[in-house]
Amino acid sequence: MRPALLDPLFAPVSSLPGIGPKLAKTFAKLVGREDEARVIDLVFHAPSSVIDRRLKPGIAHLPEGAIVTVEGRVDRHQPAPARSNAPYRVYLHDETGELTLTFFHAKADWLEKSLPVGETIVVSGRAEWFNGRPSMVHPDYMVPAEKADTLPAVEPVYPMTAGLSAKILRRSLEAALERVPDFPEWVDREIVARQGFPTTTEALRAIHHPRDDSDIELQSPARRRLAYDEFLAGQLSLSLVRSRMRKAKGRPVRPTGTLSQKVRAALPFALTAGQEQAVSAILGDMATDTRMLRMLQGDVGSGKTIVGLLAMLAVVEDGGQAVLMAPTEILARQHYDGIAALAERAGVRVRLLTGKTKARDRRQIETDLADGTAHIVIGTHALFQENVAYHDLRLAIVDEQHRFGVHQRLRLTQKGLSPHLLVMSATPIPRTLVLAAFGDMDVSNLTEKPAGRKPIQTVTIPLERIGDVVGRLRDALAEGKKCYWICPLVEESEAVELMSAEERHETLAKALGPDKVGLIHGRMSSADKDAAMEAFKSGETRLLVATTVVEVGVDVPDATIIVIEHAERFGLAQLHQLRGRVGRGAEASSCILLYKGPLSEMGRARLSVLRDSNDGFRIAEEDLKLRGEGELLGTRQSGVPGFQFGSIEAHGDILALARKDAGYIVNKDPELVSERGTALRTLLYLFRRDEAIRYLSAG
C-alpha cells in the first residue's frame, strides 16, 4: 500500500484548481505520461533555466537584448490606424529617457485599462533598440508601481509544450507544491551531513523558487539532493529485485555438446574469439547453482544471436527449455527465421509466439510448452502472459534489453524454476550506464565483426544537394542494389518542418518508379508492416522509405545503402543503430547523412564522430559526453534511466554512493522494516519504484 502521506501527490492533476480535462491532457503530454499526469509529475518538472528580472538600469541605459525591469510614467497611447498591420504603441518615461511599448493585435480598451495615462507603472521584458530609440515588444509583466513587489525577481523557465502558457504552468506548479508534505528522512544521516544535503521538501521548493542561476545548476545542493534520492530509489529497487533473484537458486546446466556441435558444423563461418569467450562465460555462469545474470553487448552485426542460440542449445541438451523475448513482432519473427532453421538441423523444436499468433496455433504452442514438446520458444511479451506455462524453463534471453523494465524481466523469470537470465543489447552501453540501469550485472562485450564484413562508408551531405543523392540512388537501383531512406516523422506536423515518410515516399516513387519504392512506419498495422518488409526482402521493392521502426535488428543482408534524412535530429546511438541496417553482407555499404544546415556545434560534433568511427562502444561513450544519458538509448520513453534530476556525468560520485548505500540497506534490512526502511518504502513509492516493494516477503 502506498503511504497515505503521498496520496495528495498521486492525485490526478485535474484535482488542482483550474485544470479541466483539456488542460489535463496537455499536462500529460508535457510530462510524457500516456495515462493521466499526477500532481507529482508537475512537482518533478524541473526548470531548465532562469530569467533574472533584477536589472533596472534606467531607460537610457537599457542593454540591447537583455531582460530588464523599468519603472516609468505613462505619457500617451498611439493606437494603430484602422485596417493596418501597424502595432499599437504606448510611450512612458523615467528621469533618463523615453521607452516605447509595442503591441501587435492588441485590444485597445485592455491596454488603456492596464496602462492608464499619467500612472506610474512597472514593466519587465526584453529591451530592443530601433533607430536609436529604446523599445519593448509585448512586455512579460505590466503592473502598477504599488504592486511592483508581485513581480518575480528571478523566474524559473520550464520545458514547455504546445497549448500551454507559462502563466498557467506556474499557477498549477504553485498549487502542486503546496501539496508537498514533510517527508521522513530516508538518507543516512552521515551522508546528509557530509554532502550538505537539504531535506527533500526543501530541495523541491528551492528548485522551483530559485534565487539565481546557481540554484538550478546540476551541482546546487537542491539538485544534488534530488539526484541522490532518485539514484537511491533506482539502486535500492534493483538491489531488492536482484537479491530476490539471487536467493532463488538456479539449477546448474550440464550440456553434452551434441546439439551445439551439429549446429556449429552447419554454420558457414567460424565463431570470432569474442563470441567463443562469451559462450564460455555464459556456460560457466550456468554451470553453478547461482542464477546467471549476464548482459551480452555487441555492436550491430557482431553475432549476438548465434551466442544466444548456443546458450539455448546447452539448456536443451540438459533436458530444459529456453525462451528468447524480443521487443517487437518484426524482431521476434526475424530471430525465429534465423534460429529455427539452424536448430531444427539438430532436431531441436522451435516455436514462435507473439500477439498475432492465431488462437488455434496458440493453444497448440501452449500445449507443446507445457508438456516439453517445444524446446525453444521465441516471441514478444506474449511469452509471459498468465496462461503460458513451461515444462522446464531453464534460460530466458531478453533481446534489446533496454526496451523492457526490470520487472517485466522478473515476470518472465518467475515462469520457471528461476531460470538463468541473459540480456542482449545491440546498443552498446557505457559501463557507468550499465551500473545505473541494471546494477552489477556481469557483462560480455562482442567487439569484433564477423569475418568478411566490410566497414560502412559514411558521408554527410547538406539537404540542398538532395537531387544528387536521388540521382545516385537511381544508378544504384539500376545496378540491382537495395536501399533504405529513413525519415524522422510519419506525417507533416506544422511544429516541425521535417519531411514526413509519407510525403518522401510520394516524391521518391515519382522520381524512381512507384513499383520500386516501399513504405513502412509505426502507424501501419502489423500485417502491412510485415508485407512491406517482405516485399523489400524479396526484392519486389528496392528502396524502402521508413521511420525509425527499422532501427533495431531488421536484417536484409543485401541492402547496401542507407540515407538518413535530417540526421541532425537523431541521437548518435540511434544513428549508429540505423546505419547498422546495411553492411550486413559481404558487399561494401554506405550511409548518407542528410542534414539541414547550419549545424549547431553539438550537431557537427555528433555527425563527425559517426563519420570517423564504426565502433559502437566509442560512439556510445561520445554520445554520453555530448548529450547525457537520458536520450542515449533512443527516446526517454524507451524505459531506460532517463533521469529527472540526476545526470550520470555530473553526479557520478553520488551514483556510486547510492549504489553502495543500497547494497548496505539490502544486507542490513532486507525487508525494509526498520525506521529508515519504512522511510525508504516512501521513497520507492515517490519515484514510482514500488514494484520492488512487492518483492519483499513482508509486504
Side-chain angles (χ1 to χ4, degrees):
M1 286 288 291
R2 183 172 58 220
L5 176 80
L6 298 180
D7 288 347
L9 292 177
F10 281 87
V13 287
S14 52
S15 66
L16 294 171
I19 300 183
K22 192 177 167 201
L23 199 51
K25 274 191 179 145
T26 308
F27 276 124
K29 201 167 126 200
L30 173 75
V31 298
R33 297 215 76 80
E34 281 172 27
D35 50 357
E36 195 169 11
R38 308 271 154 190
V39 173
I40 188 66
D41 295 317
L42 279 189
V43 173
F44 279 2
H45 189 64
S48 51
S49 61
V50 300
I51 294 175
D52 191 336
R53 299 193 182 279
R54 292 174 297 188
L55 185 61
K56 300 174 182 173
I59 291 172
H61 313 294
L62 298 182
E64 168 70 41
I67 298 287
V68 295
T69 301
V70 170
E71 183 172 325
R73 189 186 152 111
V74 179
D75 296 328
R76 62 197 166 95
H77 284 235
Q78 183 186 317
R83 290 197 190 83
S84 85
N85 284 332
Y88 189 115
R89 294 187 171 90
V90 179
Y91 297 90
L92 58 107
H93 75 276
D94 67 6
E95 61 274 16
T96 69
E98 184 180 61
L99 176 69
T100 310
L101 304 181
T102 307
F103 302 90
F104 292 91
H105 317 296
K107 293 189 169 62
D109 50 351
W110 176 76
L111 284 172
E112 281 161 10
K113 209 161 83 191
S114 308
L115 301 166
V117 173
E119 290 289 319
T120 302
I121 58 145
V122 175
V123 294
S124 185
R126 191 173 300 283
E128 295 175 25
W129 286 76
F130 287 111
N131 301 330
R133 302 168 70 88
S135 80
M136 194 181 281
V137 180
H138 289 277
D140 303 327
Y141 290 95
M142 307 186 300
V143 297
E146 61 273 16
K147 289 196 177 163
D149 57 350
T150 62
L151 235 67
V154 176
E155 192 178 7
V157 178
Y158 294 88
M160 295 296 275
T161 189
L164 186 64
S165 74
K167 203 170 180 179
I168 288 174
L169 174 61
R170 186 75 221 164
R171 189 188 69 209
S172 308
L173 254 165
E174 287 303 332
L177 281 170
E178 279 171 25
R179 296 199 182 177
V180 174
D182 284 327
F183 296 109
E185 184 52 270
W186 42 68
V187 177
D188 180 78
R189 302 260 184 272
E190 201 179 306
I191 293 175
V192 171
R194 210 169 52 233
Q195 293 289 333
F197 283 155
T199 67
T200 300
T201 309
E202 288 163 353
L204 285 167
R205 297 217 164 104
I207 282 270
H208 292 291
H209 298 129
R211 292 157 307 181
D212 54 39
D213 269 356
S214 66
D215 279 348
I216 65 160
E217 280 173 2
L218 289 172
Q219 296 302 352
S220 71
R223 187 67 183 246
R224 279 177 67 85
R225 166 69 208 231
L226 296 170
Y228 189 78
D229 285 349
E230 186 171 24
F231 289 154
L232 184 60
Q235 293 298 317
L236 181 58
S237 150
L238 285 167
S239 293
L240 288 168
V241 167
R242 178 130 310 115
S243 76
R244 189 57 176 248
M245 287 171 87
R246 294 276 194 216
K247 264 183 210 151
K249 285 234 179 293
R251 284 163 61 211
V253 172
R254 313 223 182 282
T256 60
T258 47
L259 300 174
S260 53
Q261 271 158 11
K262 284 181 189 167
V263 167
R264 280 172 180 264
L267 289 175
F269 52 82
L271 266 59
T272 64
Q275 286 172 312
E276 292 289 12
Q277 274 167 355
V279 170
S280 54
I282 290 164
L283 296 184
D285 285 357
M286 294 198 299
T288 72
D289 60 5
T290 304
R291 294 176 62 196
M292 170 172 74
L293 267 182
R294 181 170 287 275
M295 176 187 263
L296 175 64
Q297 294 202 105
D299 209 344
V300 179
S302 59
K304 293 178 298 299
T305 311
I306 192 69
V307 173
L309 173 57
L310 291 170
M312 293 195 282
L313 292 174
V315 166
V316 177
E317 287 167 358
D318 196 22
Q321 290 171 303
V323 302
L324 191 161
M325 181 164 79
T328 65
E329 198 105 20
I330 288 183
L331 262 180
R333 182 169 295 283
Q334 201 166 281
H335 276 306
Y336 176 75
D337 293 343
I339 285 172
L342 279 169
E344 280 162 8
R345 287 197 189 181
V348 174
R349 290 179 291 279
V350 184
R351 300 285 183 268
L352 175 69
L353 180 61
T354 70
K356 269 174 57 191
T357 305
K358 293 190 174 68
R360 201 184 61 208
D361 297 343
R362 168 183 287 275
R363 282 195 296 276
Q364 184 58 55
I365 292 170
E366 284 168 8
T367 307
D368 291 351
L369 287 174
D371 66 15
T373 310
H375 301 128
I376 290 175
V377 59
I378 294 169
T380 53
H381 295 76
L383 292 174
F384 57 76
Q385 281 163 350
E386 293 311 313
N387 49 352
V388 181
Y390 294 89
H391 176 65
D392 183 10
L393 181 60
R394 306 274 293 280
L395 169 66
I397 298 183
V398 183
D399 189 26
E400 284 313 314
Q401 143 68 33
H402 63 266
R403 311 252 167 148
F404 299 102
V406 171
H407 305 293
Q408 282 172 309
R409 305 205 304 264
L410 267 177
R411 283 223 289 287
L412 180 65
T413 56
Q414 286 166 335
K415 285 282 179 192
L417 294 161
S418 45
H420 296 286
L421 182 64
L422 177 69
V423 291
M424 303 201 295
S425 174
T427 308
I429 310 170
R431 180 76 189 139
T432 42
L433 246 189
V434 171
L435 292 172
F438 314 116
D440 293 311
M441 206 176 239
D442 300 313
V443 178
S444 292
N445 289 331
L446 297 179
T447 49
E448 321 154 70
K449 289 267 197 296
R453 295 268 174 107
K454 295 189 171 72
I456 301 162
Q457 182 76 39
T458 304
V459 293
T460 47
I461 294 179
L463 266 171
E464 295 83 61
R465 287 179 46 206
I466 196 163
D468 302 351
V469 174
V470 175
R472 188 174 155 189
L473 288 186
R474 190 178 289 111
D475 299 343
L477 297 188
E479 290 167 23
K481 294 199 159 104
K482 283 188 191 169
C483 321
Y484 291 100
W485 186 297
I486 308 295
C487 303
L489 280 184
V490 179
E491 54 198 33
E492 277 305 300
S493 105
E494 288 167 31
V496 199
E497 293 174 26
L498 299 187
M499 177 56 87
S500 75
E502 281 163 355
E503 199 173 308
R504 176 56 74 213
H505 172 251
E506 222 170 279
T507 59
L508 288 170
K510 269 188 202 144
L512 305 168
D515 51 336
K516 287 188 181 151
V517 186
L519 172 68
I520 185 168
H521 58 66
R523 302 228 183 120
M524 285 160 65
S525 70
S526 291
D528 289 349
K529 270 190 228 169
D530 287 349
M533 253 348 275
E534 215 31 68
F536 184 54
K537 270 187 171 168
S538 68
E540 195 184 315
T541 55
R542 293 258 151 209
L543 174 66
L544 185 62
V545 177
T547 53
T548 53
V549 290
V550 302
E551 175 191 338
V552 176
V554 172
D555 194 9
V556 182
D558 56 344
T560 54
I561 298 173
I562 186 164
V563 178
I564 303 174
E565 190 166 350
H566 279 288
E568 77 282 357
R569 299 279 175 143
F570 293 94
L572 250 181
Q574 200 180 18
L575 285 170
H576 180 61
Q577 277 292 322
L578 286 165
R579 174 170 66 179
R581 296 310 100 222
V582 296
R584 303 175 82 83
E587 241 190 289
S589 296
S590 48
C591 168
I592 299 163
L593 303 174
L594 280 176
Y595 67 88
K596 186 176 195 283
L599 283 176
S600 66
E601 219 159 292
M602 189 198 283
R604 196 172 297 113
R606 205 184 285 175
L607 295 185
S608 70
V609 166
L610 207 72
R611 209 176 41 224
D612 302 341
S613 176
N614 268 303
D615 174 356
F617 288 92
R618 189 193 145 210
I619 286 167
E621 293 288 356
E622 290 296 328
D623 209 15
L624 186 58
K625 280 185 211 148
L626 286 171
R627 297 197 307 164
E629 72 293 331
E631 302 169 80
L632 179 65
L633 306 177
T635 63
R636 277 185 182 277
Q637 276 71 31
S638 65
V640 226
F643 296 111
Q644 284 170 292
F645 300 110
S647 149
I648 285 179
E649 310 92 302
H651 303 133
D653 59 328
I654 52 179
L655 172 59
L657 197 59
R659 193 162 60 248
K660 212 162 121 188
D661 196 16
Y664 168 77
I665 294 155
V666 171
N667 267 333
K668 199 165 179 228
D669 180 17
E671 301 300 338
L672 301 186
V673 288
S674 64
E675 187 185 341
R676 185 181 177 202
T678 311
L680 283 162
R681 287 176 181 235
T682 305
L683 169 73
L684 289 170
Y685 277 106
L686 182 66
F687 280 93
R688 291 187 166 98
R689 299 286 189 157
D690 38 298
E691 282 245 20
I693 291 173
R694 292 179 209 161
Y695 293 98
L696 301 173
S697 51

